Amino acid sequence: RWVAEGGRRRAGPRRGASPPGGRCPRRGSSMAAAMTASTPMMEKASAGMRDIISALSSSEARYFDEERFSEAEIRKALSDSGTDRKIDGMKRILAAVSVGRDASPLFPDVVKNVSFQSLELKKLIYIYLVQYAENNRDLALLSINSFQKDLSDRSQLVRASALRAMASIKVLEVVQLVMVAVRTASSDMSPYVRKTAAQCMIKVYAVDADQFLELRGLLLKLMSDHEVQVVGSAIMAFHHIVVARPPP
């Protein structure tokens, strides 16, 4: 590109030229780049990806080192008795998922840790389970008792995550259990859990349209909630279920 300047013409930078310092970043060389641009990623990511990205701080870029990803090592970490080792393994899994790696083969190793009592570990496990429960229904069903127990956990994040995991299984046989959970969550003291309940109703309706009348009633109640975030999620779910896709 040529730029006129004071009657003289000087050459602008060539396309593809190296940046100052003479070094070009290697294309696709570092998954750690995902963390250096976390704000744009958070804006563009799906809800599931936002959960994953927010679970990993910018100081944990080492988890994005693709060359260090080893399913065998992660399985060993998840089978370890130490909480820190399990958390380390889960962070490696979520970092890999966030950049497109398929981590579904690790589902059995992850789900067996769902009853572990560490809050940080539970949070990471549920982020993973919501991503993969739908395609691993049989294994997820084996953990449904743990999900139900976590619905009454002290942490609002655990309660909401357990509800999401249950709703993600999408099996007709457990719809009634999910409906009980949604019904309870819609009256939860936490607005975050009530908002999650509204969001999960869309998944319930996709599995069993016979729940239409009760879902509509629950959503009408949530639409009069005093928290804006709850009302917003309830309106979106109401439009999806009642306006856009009502039963025939």
Side-chain angles (χ1 to χ4, degrees):
R1 184 166 64 88
W2 290 90
V3 181
E5 186 178 278
R8 301 175 61 186
R9 292 159 67 87
R10 65 176 177 84
R14 297 193 315 271
R15 272 183 199 173
S18 298
R23 297 182 61 188
C24 290
R26 288 187 300 161
R27 184 175 297 175
S29 62
S30 174
M31 290 193 290
M35 299 310 299
T36 63
S38 60
T39 300
M41 284 185 69
M42 291 290 278
E43 292 173 352
K44 297 177 182 179
S46 65
M49 287 301 104
R50 286 198 297 270
D51 286 342
I52 291 174
I53 295 168
S54 62
L56 300 169
S57 70
S58 57
S59 64
E60 296 175 318
R62 66 184 184 279
Y63 293 116
F64 290 82
D65 186 352
E66 195 167 10
E67 295 178 358
R68 295 181 62 185
F69 183 88
S70 166
E71 287 190 6
E73 288 297 318
I74 289 174
R75 286 192 171 95
K76 188 182 297 184
L78 293 176
S79 297
D80 195 277
S81 59
T83 304
D84 290 343
R85 284 275 287 155
K86 291 178 185 290
I87 290 173
D88 183 82
M90 284 307 307
K91 287 184 176 182
R92 292 193 182 282
I93 291 173
L94 295 181
V97 172
S98 72
V99 293
R101 182 185 285 270
D102 178 19
S104 59
L106 293 164
F107 192 92
D109 305 277
V110 173
V111 76
K112 70 183 182 182
N113 287 292
V114 72
S115 60
F116 214 80
Q117 292 307 304
S118 164
L119 177 59
E120 183 179 2
L121 181 60
K122 272 186 182 292
K123 180 180 71 172
L124 299 173
I125 288 174
Y126 273 121
I127 292 172
Y128 174 91
L129 291 180
V130 169
Q131 294 288 316
Y132 288 106
E134 184 175 353
N135 295 324
N136 294 270
R137 297 174 182 177
D138 292 341
L139 286 171
L141 283 170
L142 294 176
S143 299
I144 197 129
N145 288 336
S146 295
F147 298 164
Q148 288 179 293
K149 183 179 178 181
D150 283 342
L151 290 170
S152 57
D153 193 272
R154 290 183 303 172
S155 167
Q156 63 174 358
L157 292 176
V158 172
R159 296 198 302 276
S161 297
L163 180 59
R164 281 200 199 98
M166 285 186 68
S168 297
I169 298 175
K170 295 186 178 179
V171 175
L172 188 60
E173 288 76 13
V174 300
V175 163
Q176 291 303 325
L177 294 177
V178 179
M179 280 300 300
V180 171
V182 165
R183 198 179 302 126
T184 302
S186 65
S187 299
D188 195 278
M189 62 180 180
S190 164
Y192 180 72
V193 176
R194 298 197 301 274
K195 178 186 77 170
T196 301
Q199 295 168 344
C200 288
M201 290 183 201
I202 296 175
K203 294 183 177 182
V204 173
Y205 185 67
V207 177
D208 187 6
D210 290 343
Q211 304 299 325
F212 174 80
L213 291 177
E214 184 171 4
L215 292 174
R216 184 181 65 179
L218 290 171
L219 287 171
L220 286 171
K221 184 184 81 170
L222 290 175
M223 286 166 65
S224 62
D225 198 278
H226 60 278
E227 291 285 345
V228 174
Q229 60 177 315
V230 178
V231 174
S233 292
I235 290 173
M236 290 180 64
F238 187 88
H239 182 272
H240 181 93
I241 295 171
V242 180
V243 180
R245 297 173 178 82

